[in-house]
Amino acid sequence: VTRVGVIGGGAIGSVVAEALRDGKVDGATLGGVVAGRAEGRAAFDALLETCDVVIEAASQAAVAEYGPSVKDAGLDFVVVSAGALVDDELLRTLSAPSAGRLLISTGACGGIDLLRAAQLMHPLDSVRLQTTKPSAALVRDWMEPELRQKLVDGDEELSVFVGSAREAVQRFPETANISALIALATIGFDGVEVEVRAAPHARAATHEISASGQAGTYRFVIENALSAQNMRTSAVTAYAVLRGLTDRSAVLAPGW
Ligand SMILES: NC(=O)c1ccc[n+]([C@@H]2O[C@H](COP(=O)([O-])OP(=O)(O)OC[C@H]3O[C@@H](n4cnc5c(N)ncnc54)[C@H](O)[C@@H]3O)[C@@H](O)[C@H]2O)c1
């Protein structure tokens, strides 16, 4: 039985821990939880002692904070805050060969398995993510006052950003995880193009992923329901994490 340690006690971590505690995942059991930073390093060290795999379901900072120690301890490290891996140095450190593997949960994103296979067959020619969100959720300090005003009280759908996934991760942190998953599975943070669109009456986020290359032409549209506990997180994410524990094809690992 695989003993699973969970870092994070929020919308994702609490659902994952409860399912494991209740024995819902064949072959896996809950080894321990670090629900928040306040629990301190000792709680984390206890996880390393008692677990075979550690899941980060906390924050981008937590990936850098705990990941290297998990790998050094020879345990598999499952990353949910995939956006943290835009840091090339951190990605290199965590994916360096060792007894423990870096496994990236496919989280709230679909189609990653097929895009990865297409990329392995022959590098994709183009990969694009178009994310549409409620206008009010996209207002940012760096925007011109005129654009900000349009987002606050405008009535038309508009494009607020087109650029690389690397830039999108910085400008719109809420696109970070999905941008990172697509980038890591395909042509990287500098190759993937991201467009962020504002829709005045949208109630949640819609992601449209398109890609083309020798393997084929792909288009996926994703509209996830939000977690009741955290309105920035898709409720399905926790179940993607749980599925990944029993199905290795449900996670993304660097390389093949
Ligand atoms: N890959 C995906 O598709 C996907 C989808 C949704 C969310 N996420 C990411 O997953 C992460 C968790 O999301 P959530 O909705 O559960 O968040 P949340 O805010 O509901 O909960 C976060 C939890 O982590 C804990 N935490 C934060 N930093 C910590 C640290 N350094 N050490 C220990 N505990 C720490 C907090 O105390 C809290 O319990 C976020 O980074 C989010 O961006 C990824």
Side-chain angles (χ1 to χ4, degrees), residues 22-69:
D22 292 348
K24 292 210 168 122
V25 182
D26 285 346
T29 182
L30 185 65
V33 178
V34 177
R37 279 206 99 188
E39 293 194 13
R41 192 74 191 184
F44 171 68
D45 289 339
L47 277 196
L48 295 184
E49 293 282 315
T50 53
C51 296
D52 308 300
V53 41
V54 173
I55 294 170
E56 170 283 320
S59 61
Q60 290 196 24
V63 177
E65 189 177 338
Y66 303 104
S69 311

Side-chain angles (χ1 to χ4, degrees), residues 7-14 34-38 56-62 65-66 79-83 105-109 173 177-178 181 227 229-230 232-234 237:
I7 300 173
I12 299 169
S14 65
V34 177
R37 279 206 99 188
E56 170 283 320
S59 61
Q60 290 196 24
E65 189 177 338
Y66 303 104
V79 169
V80 179
S81 305
S105 174
T106 53
C109 186
N177 296 311
I178 193 157
L181 279 163
S227 156
Q229 207 178 324
N230 180 347
R232 287 193 316 258
T233 284
S234 302
T237 312

